[in-house]
Amino acid sequence: MTELVLYELQGCPYCAMVREKLAELELEYESRTVPRVHHERTEVQERSGQTGVPVLVDEANGVEGMSESTRIIEYLEETYGETVEETYGETS
């Protein structure tokens, strides 16, 4: 079981892309909705150094606050995704 936390904002298309990847990989995560106003996002800023979302925390792998949806999706695929060989076995 993973210990993933996603800081997000409802209606954010970048957050939705990360949620879709988490669902595709069947990963459990804790969702933390952030305030709409950037200067009120103190927890996100402490974690990632900025106030934008999405931000992913994966304490099991030492990720304290990863930002940028594309980067998060690539990380999730590399860390938790299955390769074709794992899914279907090696082909001859």
Side-chain angles (χ1 to χ4, degrees):
M1 186 165 137
T2 62
E3 295 182 18
L4 299 171
V5 177
L6 179 65
Y7 291 88
E8 61 179 320
L9 183 64
Q10 292 299 333
C12 167
Y14 304 106
C15 299
M17 291 183 344
V18 173
R19 284 194 311 271
E20 287 173 15
K21 179 54 69 176
L22 288 161
E24 177 186 316
L25 295 173
E26 299 179 357
L27 294 171
E28 293 183 22
Y29 67 98
E30 178 184 340
S31 174
R32 295 193 186 163
T33 303
V34 301
R36 286 219 168 266
V37 181
H38 279 262
H39 75 269
E40 294 178 1
R41 299 179 185 175
T42 54
E43 189 174 356
V44 172
Q45 187 160 15
E46 289 170 3
R47 285 286 190 175
S48 67
Q50 48 90 42
T51 59
V53 288
V55 168
L56 180 76
V57 175
D58 183 0
E59 292 183 1
N61 289 303
V63 175
E64 297 293 324
M66 180 181 292
S67 59
E68 302 297 327
S69 59
T70 305
R71 185 172 163 216
I72 294 169
I73 290 168
E74 288 174 0
Y75 167 79
L76 291 170
E77 288 174 345
E78 290 172 6
T79 306
Y80 297 103
E82 293 180 346
T83 65
V84 173
E85 290 79 21
E86 290 174 6
T87 304
Y88 300 105
E90 291 188 40
T91 58
S92 301

Short mmCIF file of all heavy atoms in Angstrom, two decimals, residues 30-91:
data_model
loop_
_atom_site.label_atom_id
_atom_site.label_comp_id
_atom_site.label_asym_id
_atom_site.label_seq_id
_atom_site.Cartn_x
_atom_site.Cartn_y
_atom_site.Cartn_z
N GLU A 30 -4.55 9.97 -0.60
CA GLU A 30 -5.33 10.92 0.19
C GLU A 30 -5.41 12.23 -0.59
O GLU A 30 -4.39 12.75 -1.03
CB GLU A 30 -4.66 11.17 1.54
CG GLU A 30 -5.38 12.18 2.38
CD GLU A 30 -4.66 12.47 3.69
OE1 GLU A 30 -3.82 11.66 4.12
OE2 GLU A 30 -4.95 13.54 4.26
N SER A 31 -6.59 12.73 -0.78
CA SER A 31 -6.79 13.99 -1.48
C SER A 31 -6.91 15.12 -0.45
O SER A 31 -7.68 15.01 0.50
CB SER A 31 -8.08 13.93 -2.31
OG SER A 31 -8.35 15.20 -2.87
N ARG A 32 -6.13 16.16 -0.67
CA ARG A 32 -6.23 17.35 0.19
C ARG A 32 -6.54 18.55 -0.69
O ARG A 32 -5.72 18.97 -1.51
CB ARG A 32 -4.92 17.59 0.95
CG ARG A 32 -4.63 16.48 1.93
CD ARG A 32 -3.55 16.84 2.90
NE ARG A 32 -3.23 15.68 3.73
CZ ARG A 32 -2.13 15.58 4.43
NH1 ARG A 32 -1.24 16.55 4.44
NH2 ARG A 32 -1.91 14.49 5.16
N THR A 33 -7.75 19.05 -0.54
CA THR A 33 -8.18 20.20 -1.32
C THR A 33 -7.57 21.46 -0.73
O THR A 33 -7.62 21.68 0.47
CB THR A 33 -9.72 20.31 -1.32
OG1 THR A 33 -10.26 19.09 -1.83
CG2 THR A 33 -10.18 21.47 -2.18
N VAL A 34 -6.99 22.28 -1.60
CA VAL A 34 -6.33 23.51 -1.16
C VAL A 34 -7.27 24.70 -1.35
O VAL A 34 -8.21 24.62 -2.14
CB VAL A 34 -5.01 23.76 -1.94
CG1 VAL A 34 -4.05 22.60 -1.74
CG2 VAL A 34 -5.28 23.99 -3.41
N PRO A 35 -7.02 25.80 -0.64
CA PRO A 35 -7.84 27.00 -0.83
C PRO A 35 -7.66 27.57 -2.24
O PRO A 35 -6.62 27.40 -2.86
CB PRO A 35 -7.29 27.99 0.22
CG PRO A 35 -6.55 27.15 1.20
CD PRO A 35 -6.05 25.97 0.44
N ARG A 36 -8.68 28.24 -2.73
CA ARG A 36 -8.60 28.88 -4.06
C ARG A 36 -7.57 30.00 -4.08
O ARG A 36 -6.90 30.21 -5.09
CB ARG A 36 -9.96 29.44 -4.46
CG ARG A 36 -10.92 28.37 -4.87
CD ARG A 36 -11.75 28.82 -6.06
NE ARG A 36 -12.47 27.70 -6.61
CZ ARG A 36 -12.05 26.94 -7.60
NH1 ARG A 36 -10.90 27.18 -8.16
NH2 ARG A 36 -12.77 25.93 -8.04
N VAL A 37 -7.44 30.70 -2.98
CA VAL A 37 -6.53 31.85 -2.91
C VAL A 37 -5.10 31.36 -2.66
O VAL A 37 -4.84 30.66 -1.69
CB VAL A 37 -6.97 32.82 -1.78
CG1 VAL A 37 -6.06 34.02 -1.72
CG2 VAL A 37 -8.42 33.24 -1.99
N HIS A 38 -4.20 31.74 -3.56
CA HIS A 38 -2.82 31.24 -3.50
C HIS A 38 -2.12 31.54 -2.17
O HIS A 38 -1.43 30.69 -1.63
CB HIS A 38 -1.98 31.80 -4.65
CG HIS A 38 -2.19 31.07 -5.93
ND1 HIS A 38 -1.34 30.10 -6.38
CD2 HIS A 38 -3.18 31.17 -6.86
CE1 HIS A 38 -1.78 29.63 -7.53
NE2 HIS A 38 -2.90 30.26 -7.84
N HIS A 39 -2.29 32.74 -1.64
CA HIS A 39 -1.56 33.09 -0.42
C HIS A 39 -2.04 32.32 0.81
O HIS A 39 -1.39 32.34 1.85
CB HIS A 39 -1.56 34.61 -0.18
CG HIS A 39 -2.87 35.15 0.32
ND1 HIS A 39 -3.84 35.61 -0.54
CD2 HIS A 39 -3.35 35.31 1.58
CE1 HIS A 39 -4.87 36.03 0.17
NE2 HIS A 39 -4.60 35.86 1.45
N GLU A 40 -3.15 31.59 0.69
CA GLU A 40 -3.64 30.77 1.79
C GLU A 40 -3.16 29.32 1.69
O GLU A 40 -3.48 28.50 2.55
CB GLU A 40 -5.17 30.80 1.82
CG GLU A 40 -5.74 32.17 2.16
CD GLU A 40 -7.25 32.19 2.14
OE1 GLU A 40 -7.89 31.13 1.89
OE2 GLU A 40 -7.82 33.27 2.38
N ARG A 41 -2.39 29.00 0.68
CA ARG A 41 -1.92 27.63 0.47
C ARG A 41 -0.58 27.38 1.16
O ARG A 41 0.40 26.93 0.57
CB ARG A 41 -1.79 27.34 -1.02
CG ARG A 41 -3.10 27.46 -1.77
CD ARG A 41 -2.92 27.19 -3.23
NE ARG A 41 -4.14 27.42 -3.97
CZ ARG A 41 -4.23 27.34 -5.29
NH1 ARG A 41 -3.17 27.04 -6.01
NH2 ARG A 41 -5.38 27.58 -5.88
N THR A 42 -0.53 27.64 2.44
CA THR A 42 0.73 27.55 3.19
C THR A 42 1.27 26.13 3.24
O THR A 42 2.48 25.93 3.12
CB THR A 42 0.55 28.10 4.61
OG1 THR A 42 -0.53 27.42 5.24
CG2 THR A 42 0.28 29.59 4.60
N GLU A 43 0.40 25.15 3.41
CA GLU A 43 0.87 23.76 3.49
C GLU A 43 1.50 23.32 2.17
O GLU A 43 2.53 22.65 2.15
CB GLU A 43 -0.27 22.83 3.87
CG GLU A 43 0.20 21.42 4.17
CD GLU A 43 -0.91 20.51 4.70
OE1 GLU A 43 -2.05 20.98 4.92
OE2 GLU A 43 -0.62 19.33 4.90
N VAL A 44 0.89 23.70 1.06
CA VAL A 44 1.44 23.36 -0.26
C VAL A 44 2.79 24.04 -0.45
O VAL A 44 3.75 23.43 -0.93
CB VAL A 44 0.47 23.78 -1.40
CG1 VAL A 44 1.12 23.61 -2.75
CG2 VAL A 44 -0.80 22.99 -1.32
N GLN A 45 2.89 25.29 -0.05
CA GLN A 45 4.15 26.02 -0.19
C GLN A 45 5.24 25.40 0.67
O GLN A 45 6.39 25.28 0.23
CB GLN A 45 3.98 27.49 0.15
CG GLN A 45 5.24 28.28 -0.16
CD GLN A 45 4.97 29.76 -0.29
OE1 GLN A 45 3.93 30.26 0.11
NE2 GLN A 45 5.93 30.47 -0.85
N GLU A 46 4.90 24.98 1.86
CA GLU A 46 5.88 24.32 2.73
C GLU A 46 6.37 23.01 2.11
O GLU A 46 7.54 22.66 2.21
CB GLU A 46 5.28 24.05 4.11
CG GLU A 46 5.06 25.30 4.93
CD GLU A 46 4.25 25.05 6.19
OE1 GLU A 46 3.90 23.88 6.47
OE2 GLU A 46 3.95 26.03 6.89
N ARG A 47 5.48 22.30 1.47
CA ARG A 47 5.81 21.00 0.86
C ARG A 47 6.63 21.14 -0.42
O ARG A 47 7.56 20.39 -0.66
CB ARG A 47 4.54 20.22 0.52
CG ARG A 47 3.86 19.62 1.71
CD ARG A 47 4.64 18.44 2.19
NE ARG A 47 3.90 17.70 3.19
CZ ARG A 47 4.33 16.59 3.70
NH1 ARG A 47 5.46 16.05 3.30
NH2 ARG A 47 3.63 15.97 4.62
N SER A 48 6.23 22.08 -1.28
CA SER A 48 6.81 22.13 -2.63
C SER A 48 7.59 23.39 -2.96
O SER A 48 8.22 23.46 -4.01
CB SER A 48 5.69 21.96 -3.66
OG SER A 48 4.83 23.09 -3.63
N GLY A 49 7.49 24.41 -2.12
CA GLY A 49 8.19 25.66 -2.41
C GLY A 49 7.42 26.59 -3.32
O GLY A 49 7.92 27.64 -3.70
N GLN A 50 6.20 26.21 -3.68
CA GLN A 50 5.36 27.06 -4.53
C GLN A 50 3.90 26.82 -4.16
O GLN A 50 3.60 25.93 -3.37
CB GLN A 50 5.63 26.78 -6.00
CG GLN A 50 5.66 25.32 -6.40
CD GLN A 50 4.28 24.79 -6.83
OE1 GLN A 50 3.56 25.47 -7.53
NE2 GLN A 50 3.94 23.60 -6.38
N THR A 51 2.98 27.61 -4.72
CA THR A 51 1.58 27.51 -4.33
C THR A 51 0.68 26.87 -5.39
O THR A 51 -0.51 26.74 -5.18
CB THR A 51 1.00 28.90 -3.97
OG1 THR A 51 1.13 29.75 -5.11
CG2 THR A 51 1.71 29.49 -2.77
N GLY A 52 1.24 26.49 -6.52
CA GLY A 52 0.44 25.86 -7.57
C GLY A 52 0.12 24.43 -7.24
O GLY A 52 0.78 23.78 -6.43
N VAL A 53 -0.94 23.92 -7.86
CA VAL A 53 -1.32 22.52 -7.72
C VAL A 53 -1.44 21.92 -9.11
O VAL A 53 -1.60 22.66 -10.08
CB VAL A 53 -2.66 22.37 -6.95
CG1 VAL A 53 -2.47 22.69 -5.49
CG2 VAL A 53 -3.77 23.20 -7.55
N PRO A 54 -1.31 20.64 -9.23
CA PRO A 54 -1.23 19.62 -8.20
C PRO A 54 0.16 19.50 -7.60
O PRO A 54 1.15 19.88 -8.22
CB PRO A 54 -1.59 18.33 -8.95
CG PRO A 54 -1.09 18.57 -10.34
CD PRO A 54 -1.33 20.04 -10.58
N VAL A 55 0.20 18.94 -6.39
CA VAL A 55 1.45 18.60 -5.72
C VAL A 55 1.27 17.20 -5.14
O VAL A 55 0.26 16.92 -4.50
CB VAL A 55 1.79 19.61 -4.60
CG1 VAL A 55 2.92 19.11 -3.73
CG2 VAL A 55 2.15 20.97 -5.20
N LEU A 56 2.25 16.36 -5.39
CA LEU A 56 2.21 14.98 -4.91
C LEU A 56 3.24 14.76 -3.83
O LEU A 56 4.38 15.21 -3.95
CB LEU A 56 2.49 14.01 -6.07
CG LEU A 56 2.46 12.52 -5.69
CD1 LEU A 56 1.01 12.06 -5.51
CD2 LEU A 56 3.16 11.68 -6.73
N VAL A 57 2.84 14.05 -2.77
CA VAL A 57 3.75 13.62 -1.72
C VAL A 57 3.71 12.09 -1.71
O VAL A 57 2.63 11.49 -1.73
CB VAL A 57 3.32 14.17 -0.34
CG1 VAL A 57 4.20 13.61 0.77
CG2 VAL A 57 3.34 15.69 -0.34
N ASP A 58 4.89 11.49 -1.74
CA ASP A 58 5.02 10.04 -1.68
C ASP A 58 6.12 9.74 -0.67
O ASP A 58 7.27 9.54 -1.02
CB ASP A 58 5.37 9.46 -3.05
CG ASP A 58 5.44 7.95 -3.07
OD1 ASP A 58 5.23 7.32 -2.01
OD2 ASP A 58 5.72 7.39 -4.15
N GLU A 59 5.73 9.74 0.59
CA GLU A 59 6.71 9.59 1.67
C GLU A 59 7.46 8.27 1.59
O GLU A 59 8.63 8.19 1.95
CB GLU A 59 6.03 9.75 3.02
CG GLU A 59 5.56 11.17 3.26
CD GLU A 59 4.93 11.38 4.63
OE1 GLU A 59 4.88 10.42 5.42
OE2 GLU A 59 4.51 12.51 4.90
N ALA A 60 6.81 7.22 1.10
CA ALA A 60 7.45 5.91 1.00
C ALA A 60 8.67 5.94 0.09
O ALA A 60 9.60 5.15 0.24
CB ALA A 60 6.46 4.87 0.51
N ASN A 61 8.68 6.88 -0.87
CA ASN A 61 9.80 6.99 -1.81
C ASN A 61 10.56 8.30 -1.68
O ASN A 61 11.32 8.67 -2.57
CB ASN A 61 9.28 6.83 -3.25
CG ASN A 61 8.88 5.40 -3.52
OD1 ASN A 61 9.67 4.48 -3.39
ND2 ASN A 61 7.63 5.21 -3.89
N GLY A 62 10.36 9.01 -0.57
CA GLY A 62 11.12 10.22 -0.31
C GLY A 62 10.71 11.43 -1.12
O GLY A 62 11.47 12.39 -1.22
N VAL A 63 9.50 11.43 -1.68
CA VAL A 63 9.02 12.58 -2.45
C VAL A 63 8.25 13.48 -1.49
O VAL A 63 7.17 13.14 -1.03
CB VAL A 63 8.13 12.13 -3.62
CG1 VAL A 63 7.54 13.34 -4.34
CG2 VAL A 63 8.91 11.25 -4.57
N GLU A 64 8.83 14.63 -1.20
CA GLU A 64 8.26 15.54 -0.21
C GLU A 64 7.24 16.50 -0.79
O GLU A 64 6.40 17.03 -0.08
CB GLU A 64 9.38 16.34 0.46
CG GLU A 64 10.36 15.48 1.23
CD GLU A 64 9.74 14.83 2.45
OE1 GLU A 64 8.89 15.46 3.10
OE2 GLU A 64 10.10 13.68 2.74
N GLY A 65 7.29 16.79 -2.07
CA GLY A 65 6.36 17.73 -2.68
C GLY A 65 6.68 17.96 -4.14
O GLY A 65 7.33 18.93 -4.49
N MET A 66 6.24 17.05 -4.99
CA MET A 66 6.51 17.15 -6.42
C MET A 66 5.39 17.94 -7.09
O MET A 66 4.22 17.65 -6.89
CB MET A 66 6.59 15.74 -7.03
CG MET A 66 6.88 15.74 -8.52
SD MET A 66 6.93 14.06 -9.18
CE MET A 66 8.41 13.44 -8.39
N SER A 67 5.77 18.92 -7.90
CA SER A 67 4.79 19.73 -8.61
C SER A 67 4.85 19.44 -10.10
O SER A 67 5.69 18.66 -10.55
CB SER A 67 5.04 21.22 -8.33
OG SER A 67 6.34 21.57 -8.75
N GLU A 68 3.97 20.08 -10.86
CA GLU A 68 3.85 19.94 -12.31
C GLU A 68 3.21 18.62 -12.69
O GLU A 68 3.78 17.55 -12.49
CB GLU A 68 5.20 20.09 -13.02
CG GLU A 68 5.89 21.40 -12.76
CD GLU A 68 5.12 22.61 -13.26
OE1 GLU A 68 4.42 22.52 -14.28
OE2 GLU A 68 5.21 23.65 -12.61
N SER A 69 2.02 18.68 -13.24
CA SER A 69 1.24 17.48 -13.55
C SER A 69 1.98 16.50 -14.46
O SER A 69 1.96 15.29 -14.22
CB SER A 69 -0.10 17.85 -14.18
OG SER A 69 0.10 18.60 -15.36
N THR A 70 2.66 16.99 -15.49
CA THR A 70 3.38 16.11 -16.40
C THR A 70 4.47 15.34 -15.66
O THR A 70 4.63 14.13 -15.85
CB THR A 70 4.00 16.92 -17.56
OG1 THR A 70 2.96 17.66 -18.20
CG2 THR A 70 4.68 16.02 -18.56
N ARG A 71 5.19 16.03 -14.82
CA ARG A 71 6.25 15.40 -14.04
C ARG A 71 5.68 14.36 -13.07
O ARG A 71 6.23 13.27 -12.91
CB ARG A 71 7.01 16.49 -13.28
CG ARG A 71 8.20 16.01 -12.54
CD ARG A 71 8.97 17.21 -12.01
NE ARG A 71 9.87 16.78 -10.97
CZ ARG A 71 10.18 17.46 -9.89
NH1 ARG A 71 9.66 18.64 -9.70
NH2 ARG A 71 11.00 16.98 -9.00
N ILE A 72 4.56 14.68 -12.44
CA ILE A 72 3.92 13.76 -11.50
C ILE A 72 3.45 12.50 -12.24
O ILE A 72 3.68 11.38 -11.78
CB ILE A 72 2.73 14.44 -10.77
CG1 ILE A 72 3.24 15.56 -9.86
CG2 ILE A 72 1.92 13.40 -9.98
CD1 ILE A 72 2.15 16.45 -9.29
N ILE A 73 2.83 12.67 -13.39
CA ILE A 73 2.34 11.54 -14.16
C ILE A 73 3.49 10.64 -14.60
O ILE A 73 3.42 9.41 -14.48
CB ILE A 73 1.50 12.03 -15.36
CG1 ILE A 73 0.19 12.62 -14.86
CG2 ILE A 73 1.27 10.90 -16.37
CD1 ILE A 73 -0.60 13.40 -15.88
N GLU A 74 4.57 11.24 -15.06
CA GLU A 74 5.75 10.44 -15.45
C GLU A 74 6.30 9.68 -14.25
O GLU A 74 6.67 8.51 -14.37
CB GLU A 74 6.83 11.35 -16.05
CG GLU A 74 6.48 11.87 -17.42
CD GLU A 74 7.49 12.89 -17.94
OE1 GLU A 74 8.48 13.22 -17.22
OE2 GLU A 74 7.29 13.37 -19.06
N TYR A 75 6.37 10.35 -13.10
CA TYR A 75 6.86 9.70 -11.88
C TYR A 75 5.98 8.51 -11.51
O TYR A 75 6.48 7.43 -11.19
CB TYR A 75 6.91 10.72 -10.74
CG TYR A 75 7.09 10.06 -9.39
CD1 TYR A 75 8.35 9.63 -8.99
CD2 TYR A 75 6.02 9.85 -8.54
CE1 TYR A 75 8.53 8.99 -7.77
CE2 TYR A 75 6.18 9.22 -7.32
CZ TYR A 75 7.44 8.80 -6.94
OH TYR A 75 7.61 8.17 -5.73
N LEU A 76 4.66 8.70 -11.55
CA LEU A 76 3.74 7.62 -11.19
C LEU A 76 3.90 6.43 -12.13
O LEU A 76 3.91 5.28 -11.70
CB LEU A 76 2.29 8.13 -11.20
CG LEU A 76 1.93 9.12 -10.09
CD1 LEU A 76 0.55 9.72 -10.34
CD2 LEU A 76 2.00 8.46 -8.72
N GLU A 77 4.03 6.71 -13.42
CA GLU A 77 4.21 5.63 -14.40
C GLU A 77 5.51 4.89 -14.15
O GLU A 77 5.54 3.66 -14.16
CB GLU A 77 4.21 6.20 -15.82
CG GLU A 77 2.84 6.64 -16.29
CD GLU A 77 2.86 7.33 -17.63
OE1 GLU A 77 3.95 7.73 -18.12
OE2 GLU A 77 1.78 7.48 -18.23
N GLU A 78 6.59 5.63 -13.91
CA GLU A 78 7.89 5.00 -13.70
C GLU A 78 7.95 4.23 -12.39
O GLU A 78 8.56 3.17 -12.31
CB GLU A 78 9.00 6.07 -13.70
CG GLU A 78 9.24 6.68 -15.06
CD GLU A 78 10.20 7.86 -15.00
OE1 GLU A 78 10.78 8.14 -13.92
OE2 GLU A 78 10.37 8.51 -16.03
N THR A 79 7.30 4.74 -11.36
CA THR A 79 7.39 4.14 -10.04
C THR A 79 6.36 3.04 -9.82
O THR A 79 6.68 2.03 -9.20
CB THR A 79 7.21 5.24 -8.96
OG1 THR A 79 8.16 6.28 -9.21
CG2 THR A 79 7.44 4.68 -7.57
N TYR A 80 5.15 3.23 -10.31
CA TYR A 80 4.07 2.30 -10.00
C TYR A 80 3.46 1.60 -11.21
O TYR A 80 2.65 0.71 -11.06
CB TYR A 80 2.95 3.03 -9.24
CG TYR A 80 3.42 3.57 -7.92
CD1 TYR A 80 3.70 4.92 -7.76
CD2 TYR A 80 3.59 2.73 -6.84
CE1 TYR A 80 4.13 5.42 -6.53
CE2 TYR A 80 4.03 3.21 -5.61
CZ TYR A 80 4.30 4.57 -5.48
OH TYR A 80 4.72 5.05 -4.27
N GLY A 81 3.85 1.98 -12.41
CA GLY A 81 3.28 1.37 -13.61
C GLY A 81 3.89 0.01 -13.88
O GLY A 81 5.00 -0.30 -13.46
N GLU A 82 3.12 -0.80 -14.59
CA GLU A 82 3.60 -2.12 -14.97
C GLU A 82 4.11 -2.05 -16.41
O GLU A 82 3.57 -1.34 -17.24
CB GLU A 82 2.46 -3.14 -14.91
CG GLU A 82 1.98 -3.40 -13.53
CD GLU A 82 0.85 -4.42 -13.51
OE1 GLU A 82 0.28 -4.71 -14.56
OE2 GLU A 82 0.56 -4.91 -12.43
N THR A 83 5.13 -2.82 -16.68
CA THR A 83 5.62 -2.91 -18.05
C THR A 83 4.78 -3.93 -18.80
O THR A 83 4.09 -4.75 -18.20
CB THR A 83 7.10 -3.35 -18.08
OG1 THR A 83 7.18 -4.67 -17.56
CG2 THR A 83 7.99 -2.40 -17.31
N VAL A 84 4.87 -3.93 -20.09
CA VAL A 84 4.14 -4.89 -20.92
C VAL A 84 4.53 -6.31 -20.55
O VAL A 84 3.70 -7.20 -20.46
CB VAL A 84 4.39 -4.61 -22.41
CG1 VAL A 84 3.76 -5.69 -23.28
CG2 VAL A 84 3.84 -3.25 -22.78
N GLU A 85 5.82 -6.53 -20.30
CA GLU A 85 6.29 -7.87 -19.95
C GLU A 85 5.68 -8.34 -18.65
O GLU A 85 5.34 -9.51 -18.49
CB GLU A 85 7.82 -7.92 -19.86
CG GLU A 85 8.52 -7.79 -21.18
CD GLU A 85 8.60 -6.36 -21.68
OE1 GLU A 85 8.48 -5.42 -20.85
OE2 GLU A 85 8.76 -6.16 -22.88
N GLU A 86 5.54 -7.46 -17.67
CA GLU A 86 4.96 -7.85 -16.40
C GLU A 86 3.49 -8.21 -16.56
O GLU A 86 2.99 -9.11 -15.90
CB GLU A 86 5.08 -6.71 -15.38
CG GLU A 86 6.50 -6.46 -14.92
CD GLU A 86 6.59 -5.23 -14.03
OE1 GLU A 86 5.58 -4.65 -13.68
OE2 GLU A 86 7.73 -4.86 -13.71
N THR A 87 2.80 -7.51 -17.44
CA THR A 87 1.39 -7.72 -17.62
C THR A 87 1.09 -8.96 -18.45
O THR A 87 0.24 -9.77 -18.11
CB THR A 87 0.75 -6.49 -18.31
OG1 THR A 87 1.04 -5.34 -17.52
CG2 THR A 87 -0.75 -6.64 -18.42
N TYR A 88 1.80 -9.12 -19.56
CA TYR A 88 1.49 -10.19 -20.51
C TYR A 88 2.52 -11.29 -20.59
O TYR A 88 2.35 -12.24 -21.32
CB TYR A 88 1.30 -9.58 -21.91
CG TYR A 88 0.19 -8.58 -21.95
CD1 TYR A 88 0.45 -7.22 -22.01
CD2 TYR A 88 -1.14 -8.99 -21.92
CE1 TYR A 88 -0.57 -6.30 -22.04
CE2 TYR A 88 -2.17 -8.07 -21.94
CZ TYR A 88 -1.87 -6.72 -22.01
OH TYR A 88 -2.89 -5.81 -22.02
N GLY A 89 3.61 -11.15 -19.88
CA GLY A 89 4.68 -12.13 -19.96
C GLY A 89 5.56 -11.83 -21.18
O GLY A 89 5.17 -11.10 -22.08
N GLU A 90 6.74 -12.35 -21.17
CA GLU A 90 7.66 -12.11 -22.28
C GLU A 90 7.19 -12.85 -23.51
O GLU A 90 6.70 -13.97 -23.43
CB GLU A 90 9.06 -12.57 -21.89
CG GLU A 90 9.67 -11.68 -20.81
CD GLU A 90 11.12 -12.01 -20.58
OE1 GLU A 90 11.84 -12.28 -21.54
OE2 GLU A 90 11.51 -11.99 -19.41
N THR A 91 7.36 -12.18 -24.64
CA THR A 91 6.98 -12.83 -25.90
C THR A 91 8.20 -13.40 -26.57
O THR A 91 9.31 -12.89 -26.43
CB THR A 91 6.31 -11.82 -26.85
OG1 THR A 91 7.21 -10.73 -27.07
CG2 THR A 91 5.00 -11.31 -26.27
#
